[in-house]
């Protein structure tokens, strides 16, 4: 509904950049979800005041942390536990977080990118940057505006990112050497999409045919910030854990990891093997669910007053 509402309806985002942007709207949203649990089918018993686990960016302030807890408690939760998103993503991906060996997680979400090295059930080193999916959308809008003088909407930019988004020249397949024209094979890898926006000169609608190469060019400055942050974190990680990460590889989660070739770009920048977890979009929420079912695990990983 963003960008499509009449004057009588306001579409807003309760959360922005990984933190609460509108407290009242966030409280209403949580009330809605809790109410849906109350109205669930016969197989699931009604929970008058449920326990809630919320994933938060690892770099939030104490004020932002308290705002999340207060919103959940005001919405009808009995207890609200906080867990850092990279920890939740690691648990959701099935990584052995309790082992002495280190694991590295890169979670590229909508508002923030979370990068962390985890060992013995705790975060040893982490980075949280507010550069993620939303910035990729803005980069595409800015690029099309500069190159074609056409203004796109947020929803259209999101569709372009999902359809044509790529982070590596060989994202849609390797160029085959021998047996056929390599240049022709390379051309076949380029994908195209027709998008519609408003021409800023005439003010009239205009259609454009854009390529995956153009989308990669638009997104690359933002993607480079994410890969550079991962490389910087490796420099801050103790050498013993770096050896573990080199052996086990970096695990990627979050919607941003679904961008074609993102694992290749991350691998080239960090000089380490990179894997994308199964169903990366839900890794964090699956991790929160596992924590909610395991009280011992919850005691180890929950955030209390800025400390686990």
């Amino acid at each position: 509904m963003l960008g499509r509402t009449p004057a009588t309806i306001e579409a807003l985002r309760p959360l922005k950049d990984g933190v609460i942007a509108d407290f009242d709207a966030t409280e209403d949203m949580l009330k809605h979800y809790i109410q849906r649990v109350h109205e669930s089918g016969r197989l699931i018993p009604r929970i008058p005041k449920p326990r809630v686990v919320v994933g938060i960016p690892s770099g939030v302030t104490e004020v932002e942390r308290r705002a999340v807890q207060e919103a959940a408690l005001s919405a009808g939760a009995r207890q609200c536990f906080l867990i850092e998103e990279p920890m939740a993503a690691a648990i959701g991906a099935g990584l052995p977080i309790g082992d002495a060996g280190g694991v590295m997680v890169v979670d590229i979400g909508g508002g923030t990118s979370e990068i962390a090295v985890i060992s013995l059930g705790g975060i040893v080193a982490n980075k949280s940057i507010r550069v993620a999916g939303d910035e990729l959308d803005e980069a595409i809008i800015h690029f099309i505006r500069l190159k074609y003088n056409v203004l796109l909407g947020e929803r259209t930019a999101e569709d372009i990112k999902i359809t044509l988004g790529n982070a590596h020249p060989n994202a849609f397949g390797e160029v085959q050497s021998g047996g056929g024209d390599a240049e022709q094979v390379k051309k076949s890898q380029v994908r195209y999409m027709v998008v519609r926006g408003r021409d800023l000169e005439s003010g009239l609608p205009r259609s454009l045919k854009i390529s995956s190469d153009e989308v990669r060019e638009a997104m690359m400055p933002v993607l480079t910030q994410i890969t550079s942050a991962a490389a910087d974190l490796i420099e801050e990680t103790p050498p013993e854990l770096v050896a573990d990460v080199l052996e086990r590889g970096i695990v990627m989660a979050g919607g941003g990891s679904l961008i074609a070739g993102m694992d290749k770009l991350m691998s080239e920048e960090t000089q380490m093997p990179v894997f994308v977890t199964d169903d990366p979009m839900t890794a964090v929420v699956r991790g929160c669910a596992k924590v909610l079912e395991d009280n011992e695990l919850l005691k180890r990983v929950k955030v209390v007053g800025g400390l686990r």
Side-chain angles (χ1 to χ4, degrees):
M1 292 175 67
L2 288 172
R4 296 181 175 181
T5 56
T8 54
I9 299 175
E10 181 185 4
L12 50 86
R13 299 180 60 176
L15 304 174
K16 183 73 173 173
D17 293 332
V19 296
I20 293 176
D22 187 322
F23 186 88
D24 292 333
T26 302
E27 184 181 327
D28 289 340
M29 179 182 70
L30 292 174
K31 279 181 180 176
H32 169 74
Y33 291 137
I34 292 174
Q35 189 65 32
R36 286 186 63 176
V37 174
H38 283 218
E39 296 170 355
S40 57
R42 296 177 183 176
L43 295 177
I44 305 175
R46 295 189 176 188
I47 307 171
K49 275 186 171 288
R51 294 162 71 236
V52 175
V53 172
V54 183
I56 58 171
S58 55
V60 299
T61 64
E62 183 66 26
V63 173
E64 292 166 338
R65 195 176 288 125
R66 288 181 181 275
V68 173
Q69 283 187 311
E70 289 177 12
L73 295 173
S74 299
R78 179 172 81 252
Q79 290 176 296
C80 177
F81 302 102
L82 305 182
I83 175 174
E84 286 123 324
E85 287 180 359
M87 179 67 77
I91 296 170
L95 299 179
I97 62 164
D99 291 359
V103 294
M104 184 169 176
V105 179
V106 178
D107 174 34
I108 307 173
T112 61
S113 293
E114 305 290 325
I115 310 159
V117 176
I118 299 170
S119 178
L120 293 172
I123 294 179
V124 178
N126 73 284
K127 271 188 181 294
S128 177
I129 57 173
R130 297 193 176 182
V131 176
D134 293 341
E135 279 65 30
L136 291 172
D137 294 344
E138 292 173 9
I140 292 170
I141 293 172
H142 186 65
F143 179 85
I144 298 298
R145 183 172 184 168
L146 284 180
K147 186 169 184 177
Y148 296 105
N149 207 24
V150 170
L151 183 63
L152 300 178
E154 290 181 29
R155 184 67 242 180
T156 303
E158 177 84 3
D159 292 340
I160 293 171
K161 180 180 70 178
I162 293 171
T163 306
L164 297 183
N166 66 101
H168 195 275
N170 295 330
F172 299 123
E174 297 287 343
V175 176
Q176 302 294 327
S177 59
D181 187 1
E183 186 65 30
Q184 190 65 33
V185 175
K186 186 175 181 181
K187 284 182 180 178
S188 69
Q189 294 176 353
V190 180
R191 300 183 179 182
Y192 296 91
M193 177 180 177
V194 176
V195 297
R196 296 168 182 83
R198 187 174 73 236
D199 192 307
L200 292 174
E201 287 185 4
S202 64
L204 300 176
R206 181 178 164 193
S207 296
L208 292 173
K209 185 178 181 181
I210 61 173
S211 69
S212 55
D213 287 347
E214 290 176 308
V215 177
R216 183 173 69 252
E217 182 184 348
M219 294 166 55
M220 194 51 69
V222 178
L223 297 176
T224 302
Q225 289 185 58
I226 298 172
T227 55
S228 297
D232 291 343
L233 184 68
I234 292 172
E235 291 182 12
E236 300 171 9
T237 304
E240 289 291 338
L241 293 180
V242 171
D244 293 334
V245 174
L246 183 59
E247 181 181 347
R248 296 180 174 182
I250 298 171
V251 177
M252 296 190 67
S257 62
L258 291 172
I259 294 172
M262 188 63 203
D263 53 343
K264 294 181 181 179
L265 179 67
M266 184 67 73
S267 181
E268 289 179 359
E269 287 292 322
T270 60
Q271 300 296 308
M272 290 189 175
V274 177
F275 308 96
V276 178
T277 184
D278 296 332
D279 196 8
M281 288 280 285
T282 62
V284 172
V285 74
R286 282 187 285 116
C288 290
K290 288 182 181 178
V291 168
L292 197 58
E293 295 169 355
D294 189 337
N295 287 328
E296 289 301 317
L297 183 61
L298 177 60
K299 290 177 183 178
R300 293 177 63 183
V301 301
K302 70 179 180 180
V303 179
V304 181
L307 297 173
R308 281 179 298 283

